[in-house]
Amino acid sequence: MARQRHKKRTHVGARNGRSSSMPGSTGPKSMVIRVGAGEVGSSVSQLVKDVRSMMEPGTASRLKERKSNKLKDYTTMAGPLGISHLLLFSRSTTGNTNLRLAVAPRGPTLHFRVEKYALCKDVRKALRRPKGGEKEYLNPPLLVMNNFVAPEVDSTDRASIPKHLETLSTTIFQSLFPPISPQTTPLSSIRRVLLLDRQLAKLNPTTDGADASPYIINLRHFAIVTKPTGLSKSVRRINATERMLKAHTLRRRIPNLGGLEDVADYILDPSAAGNGFTSGSESELETDAEVEVLDTNQRKVLTKKQLEAAHKNHGQRPHNGTETQKRAVKLVEIGPRLTLRMTKVEEGLCGGKVMWHEYLTKSEDEVREMERTWDSRRREKAERKRVQQENIEKKRQSKGPGEEKIDGIEQDVPGEDDGYDSENWNSELSDP
């Protein structure tokens, strides 16, 4: 029997198994979209690419937008592709860059104004030793959130975000990435850190209420670098692990020991340190913290006779490969860097009832009137769907058994939210 053919160029995923970015796999997935593909500018387009790399691997990294694409085009495909979040970047007529973070398929939506941002290439230029590589993006980052729930303060500021909306924003950001279990998640899979720090403004009674306590989030993206501690620079250079980590560089991997009589002359170099072994600049790394991790390297499995012989010779049982070692941990920023200011929270997907607005406030009577308006809209929508379904059934009964095609009747897609208006797609936040 002939061997079955496996297509490698066009069917790579068929042999590699189910990927984390496929629709059937578990975990949140996102789309980072440019609204008005050719109108946002080159800087915002590059920012979108950097955000896509930050959201890897659960994002559509090769998404191509068109000027003719509408919001309904993406929401329609969100269900079959398993998309749970939409990140929409746009630019207003006044030149402000805006970000909308929406939860598919029915909302809510968080509106942000991008006050400042730095691209990945700008961050790398500012670093002395930038971190590069693609292994960091094979697993989702570790999400670290700080100050997302503000302390209780006696203030009459009406523009400050309510407590239940603070909890809502915290839940939305936490749902961007899969949860991490300390008992089951392998430590080697955590290679990046995404830091979200809410900037708590100090209340000043002399300032206006609209600018007293804005909701500002600082986003930073880091790569985790670990190195063994307690070793001199010469020993680290000949360490096999360090050579594998630095194999992509152009520097010499293995030191040249041809002019030395013994390897001890290289390790105990008098010019390296006064005491002949280590110095503070060589052995101590510039790190953020030191941790103890388990050495999970695979080792040779010994037979029963070999274990007995090793026990007789050394007087103790050999290690089983679970001893701990100290490693230095350092965070290297890889970008992008964003400063986001929340301006509005909507109930639906890029539309619907406004739950909170930074610049507009409503009285209790206006809030009740808005609730009545939205209730009447919901009833009208339900009535339209009922009449439409009745018309579909009448049309189906009037046709023969082989004629299932229905012409001239607009059908509603199950699971789709029509709580937004098509005109809201190109509408931007007005300046205060």
Side-chain angles (χ1 to χ4, degrees), residues 198-390:
R198 180 186 174 186
Q199 182 178 342
L200 296 179
K202 297 181 180 179
L203 298 177
N204 190 356
T206 60
T207 59
D208 297 334
D211 296 332
S213 55
Y215 194 95
I216 298 178
I217 298 176
N218 295 318
L219 185 147
R220 305 284 292 274
H221 189 209
F222 300 92
I224 301 177
V225 180
T226 60
K227 292 183 179 181
T229 60
L231 300 177
S232 63
K233 185 177 180 180
S234 57
V235 175
R236 291 200 307 267
R237 289 189 60 186
I238 61 177
N239 192 340
T241 306
E242 296 297 323
R243 291 203 310 269
M244 293 177 61
L245 293 176
K246 297 182 179 180
H248 61 278
T249 59
L250 298 179
R251 67 176 61 182
R252 188 169 47 192
R253 278 82 170 180
I254 303 176
N256 186 9
L257 305 181
L260 302 178
E261 296 181 357
D262 194 348
V263 69
D265 297 338
Y266 170 73
I267 298 177
L268 305 176
D269 188 6
S271 61
N275 55 4
F277 181 60
T278 59
S279 63
S281 59
E282 285 189 349
S283 61
E284 297 180 3
L285 302 175
E286 184 182 355
T287 60
D288 298 328
E290 291 186 4
V291 295
E292 291 186 356
V293 296
L294 293 176
D295 188 7
T296 58
N297 296 331
Q298 295 182 358
R299 302 198 176 189
K300 183 179 179 181
V301 179
L302 302 179
T303 62
K304 186 177 180 180
K305 294 182 179 180
Q306 292 175 344
L307 288 175
E308 294 177 356
H311 182 73
K312 293 179 180 179
N313 295 334
H314 303 282
Q316 59 182 356
R317 186 181 181 86
H319 296 287
N320 56 359
T322 59
E323 63 269 12
T324 61
Q325 60 175 342
K326 287 187 177 181
R327 300 187 69 89
V329 180
K330 184 178 181 180
L331 298 180
V332 179
E333 188 172 4
I334 56 179
R337 185 186 300 181
L338 295 170
T339 301
L340 307 175
R341 178 167 181 167
M342 184 183 292
T343 55
K344 186 169 62 172
V345 179
E346 290 179 330
E347 188 178 29
L349 181 63
C350 297
K353 183 177 65 176
V354 178
M355 304 172 63
W356 176 82
H357 203 289
E358 184 181 11
Y359 307 116
L360 301 178
T361 57
K362 293 181 179 294
S363 61
E364 295 182 359
D365 296 336
E366 292 175 343
V367 171
R368 286 193 293 267
E369 181 65 25
M370 182 179 64
E371 293 288 347
R372 287 193 294 267
T373 303
W374 281 103
D375 290 341
S376 63
R377 290 183 182 180
R378 294 189 188 98
R379 288 193 297 268
E380 292 175 359
K381 179 181 176 181
E383 182 65 21
R384 288 196 305 268
K385 286 188 175 182
R386 186 186 63 81
V387 173
Q388 186 181 25
Q389 190 66 25
E390 292 179 356

Side-chain angles (χ1 to χ4, degrees), residues 176-195:
L176 282 174
F177 303 100
I180 295 177
S181 176
Q183 291 77 16
T184 59
T185 303
L187 190 61
S188 59
S189 64
I190 303 176
R191 297 177 178 269
R192 293 181 293 146
V193 174
L194 181 61
L195 175 61

